[in-house]
């Protein structure tokens, strides 16, 4: 059986994040990947030079084409950019009962460029989070979505609870931006509404982390598409992204991309 996963996100011309990172991850994890492009970015490892959103009608037409012929077993959203796109995507997902939805609330690029209009945050909260089977914010994104300042493990758990109360069935708050716990470890926190689970890895001192959020969320999506549980999917995604960061390919003059093929390359799994 061929498992299928869909990414709804922006295109990264540099290939390290967005649609490109998602499709690479799907492929490495043995899932057939499909895409709906919401925006085109002129982008490289040094930053984002331009963002060109796709018309909402074109986004919906892409979704209709997928639904008509290649219905996915899991769906991931990344950069959605505008409230019109967010609302249209949410309505489509809801009407087609695509239940395994991974929401990566992409807001800011690695170099600092905004990838989500400020007025779109509320649309994300109102329309997409209630549909999320899993939501995967980093700490700054979780702060924006919840209005909480995360400065301790307790704060992060409170933010996870609040995101769950906002409608997400599972919450993963990633630890890459964590400044309050171990400097030697990066810890991702999963909350399922009842229990908290921690996924730990060594913290790698590198600037080559472009696309880590996209890659992690798409790894979760691929594993869900194959029928694995959320816990199992997050566990594999943590191994995948840690391997991708550890085994850097070192290209570009800025924040370089992670190594998407490291997980399956002999001798480099973590």
């Amino acid at each position: 059986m061929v498992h299928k996963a869909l990414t709804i996100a922006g295109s990264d011309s540099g290939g390290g994040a967005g649609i490109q990172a998602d499709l690479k991850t799907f492929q490495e994890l043995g899932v057939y990947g499909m895409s709906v492009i919401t925006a085109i970015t002129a982008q490289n490892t040094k930053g984002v030079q331009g963002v060109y959103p796709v018309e909402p009608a074109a986004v919906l037409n892409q979704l209709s084409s997928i639904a008509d012929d290649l219905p996915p077993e899991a769906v991931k959203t990344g950069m959605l950019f505008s409230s019109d796109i967010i609302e249209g995507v949410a309505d489509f997902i809801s009407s087609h009962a695509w239940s395994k939805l991974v929401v990566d609330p992409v807001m800011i690029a690695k170099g600092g460029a905004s990838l989500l209009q400020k007025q779109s945050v509320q649309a994300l909260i109102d329309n997409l989070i209630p549909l999320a089977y899993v939501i995967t914010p980093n700490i700054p994104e979780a702060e924006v979505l919840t209005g909480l300042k995360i400065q301790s493990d307790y704060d992060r758990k409170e933010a996870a609870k609040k995101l769950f109360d906002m409608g997400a069935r599972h919450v993963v708050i990633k630890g890459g931006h964590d400044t309050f716990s171990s400097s030697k470890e990066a810890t991702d926190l999963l909350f399922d509404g009842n229990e908290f689970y921690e996924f730990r890895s060594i913290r790698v001192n590198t600037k080559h982390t472009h696309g880590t959020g996209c890659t992690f969320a798409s790894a979760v999506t691929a594993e869900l598409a194959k029928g694995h549980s959320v816990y199992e999917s997050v566990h594999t995604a943590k191994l995948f992204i840690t391997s991708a960061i550890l085994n850097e390919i070192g290209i570009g003059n800025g924040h370089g991309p992670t190594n998407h093929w490291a997980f399956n390359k002999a001798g480099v799994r973590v």
Side-chain angles (χ1 to χ4, degrees):
M1 177 181 180
V2 176
H3 299 289
K4 303 184 299 296
L6 170 65
T7 171
I8 309 169
S11 169
D12 173 4
S13 57
I19 290 286
Q20 286 81 357
D22 296 341
L23 293 177
K24 290 173 187 178
T25 303
F26 292 164
Q27 184 78 11
E28 289 295 323
L29 289 172
V31 171
Y32 182 80
M34 302 162 295
S35 64
V36 168
I37 297 177
T38 59
I40 297 169
T41 68
Q43 186 174 174
N44 55 29
T45 66
K46 295 188 289 185
V48 178
Q49 292 79 46
V51 178
Y52 308 93
V54 172
E55 289 291 332
V59 173
L60 292 178
N61 203 18
Q62 292 175 78
L63 284 166
S64 294
S65 293
I66 297 299
D68 179 61
D69 187 45
L70 298 161
E73 289 148 277
V75 180
K76 177 230 169 190
T77 62
M79 174 190 177
L80 298 179
F81 187 72
S82 71
S83 55
D84 286 344
I85 291 176
I86 291 169
E87 291 166 7
V89 166
D91 286 346
F92 192 95
I93 289 172
S94 179
S95 66
H96 286 76
W98 288 348
S99 59
K100 288 187 178 179
L101 172 65
V102 177
V103 174
D104 182 21
V106 176
M107 297 179 183
I108 299 173
K110 192 68 66 181
S114 177
L115 299 176
L116 181 69
Q117 293 178 326
K118 289 184 178 180
Q119 63 267 35
S120 301
V121 173
Q122 194 60 48
L124 189 69
I125 292 169
D126 293 341
N127 296 278
L128 208 57
I129 291 180
L131 300 177
Y133 189 59
V134 185
I135 187 169
T136 63
N138 58 32
I139 286 174
E141 290 163 347
E143 288 180 331
V144 171
L145 292 172
T146 64
L148 301 176
K149 192 67 178 174
I150 301 175
Q151 298 176 319
S152 66
D153 288 327
Y154 174 82
D155 293 340
R156 182 157 60 164
K157 288 182 177 179
E158 289 302 299
K161 290 177 183 177
K162 189 165 184 178
L163 286 166
F164 180 84
D165 290 341
M166 291 161 68
R169 291 180 59 187
H170 301 85
V171 179
V172 180
I173 300 183
K174 297 169 293 189
H177 292 77
D178 177 1
T179 60
F180 48 79
S181 59
S182 171
S183 61
K184 295 182 179 180
E185 291 184 322
T187 302
D188 298 339
L189 181 72
L190 166 64
F191 180 56
D192 65 2
N194 293 304
E195 301 290 337
F196 289 98
Y197 305 92
E198 292 185 341
F199 300 83
R200 300 178 182 273
S201 65
I202 62 171
R203 186 179 292 276
V204 183
N205 183 21
T206 177
K207 67 176 183 177
H208 298 295
T209 56
H210 180 55
T212 50
C214 303
T215 299
F216 177 85
S218 54
V220 172
T221 307
E223 292 303 295
L224 289 174
K226 291 189 283 188
H228 296 302
S229 69
V230 172
Y231 182 93
E232 292 168 332
S233 299
V234 173
H235 175 72
T236 298
K238 182 66 167 174
L239 294 176
F240 189 97
I241 193 59
T242 302
S243 183
I245 295 170
L246 271 172
N247 300 280
E248 64 182 46
I249 51 180
I251 61 173
N253 296 302
H255 294 286
T258 63
N259 184 350
H260 290 93
W261 62 71
F263 183 73
N264 285 325
K265 196 172 181 179
V268 299
R269 287 202 184 192
V270 293

